[in-house]
Amino acid sequence: MPEILAKYATDVGAISIVLFLGVLRSLSQHAHFRRELRGAQVYLVLFLGTLVLRRFVPGDWQLAKTLIATASTIFFAFGAIRAAASIGFHIYRLHRHVEIPRILRDIADGTLFFIAVMIILSERTEIKLGSLLGASAVISVVLGLAL
């Protein structure tokens, strides 16, 4: 997994995606879609900021480098997820002429964000997924009952 992210989560790739999303935002007539794409751009700009920050961290600060690299990967994943979900929901909206309820979009985004964070943390750190998934199961039951 880290090799795949290292290959695709680069500054050139992120800049390209940010520019592509900017073009989509400027061409779109839907304010909601433009707002969602702006959120994806913010995550990708944060990713670029962590890449710059990582270059200024001294070589012997290994913990700081690990934390910045983990945050960088999470920002890239969030930006990619937010962009893909926004574009997918927008295509569905245009094709079916039906607006997807905001709560369903938020649940889909939250689930994908959670899965991405779990995968990234398990790859980058020594966190055991079993205990985190057990805690998330309890949270899911509470949210399910609340909904």
Side-chain angles (χ1 to χ4, degrees):
M1 179 79 171
E3 298 84 22
I4 294 171
L5 290 174
K7 182 177 180 182
Y8 294 108
T10 62
D11 48 357
V12 174
I15 291 170
S16 301
I17 295 170
V18 168
L19 292 175
F20 173 72
L21 295 177
V23 169
L24 278 180
R25 280 184 63 207
S26 66
L27 294 176
S28 177
Q29 300 296 323
H30 300 278
H32 183 72
F33 181 57
R34 287 194 311 264
R35 187 172 46 252
E36 288 178 345
L37 290 179
R38 184 181 53 213
Q41 285 179 307
V42 167
Y43 283 127
L44 292 170
V45 168
L46 287 171
F47 164 74
L48 293 170
T50 57
L51 289 181
V52 171
L53 179 65
R54 189 168 43 185
R55 295 199 173 122
F56 291 108
V57 174
D60 57 342
W61 292 13
Q62 197 57 36
L63 178 61
K65 284 188 175 243
T66 302
L67 290 173
I68 292 171
T70 303
S72 174
T73 309
I74 288 172
F75 286 140
F76 184 82
F78 279 16
I81 289 169
R82 170 51 66 205
S86 298
I87 292 169
F89 289 140
H90 187 65
I91 289 171
Y92 182 84
R93 183 182 315 126
L94 292 175
H95 185 264
R96 300 283 182 164
H97 304 291
V98 175
E99 183 71 30
I100 298 172
R102 176 127 177 114
I103 190 165
L104 292 178
R105 291 191 313 255
D106 290 344
I107 289 172
D109 284 347
T111 302
L112 292 173
F113 286 167
F114 180 76
I115 291 170
V117 168
M118 291 297 105
I119 291 171
I120 292 167
L121 287 179
S122 70
E123 291 291 325
R124 295 261 181 190
T125 64
E126 297 177 7
I127 295 175
K128 303 290 182 202
L129 278 180
S131 60
L132 289 174
L133 291 177
S136 70
V138 172
I139 292 170
S140 297
V141 168
V142 170
L143 286 175
L145 291 173
L147 288 173

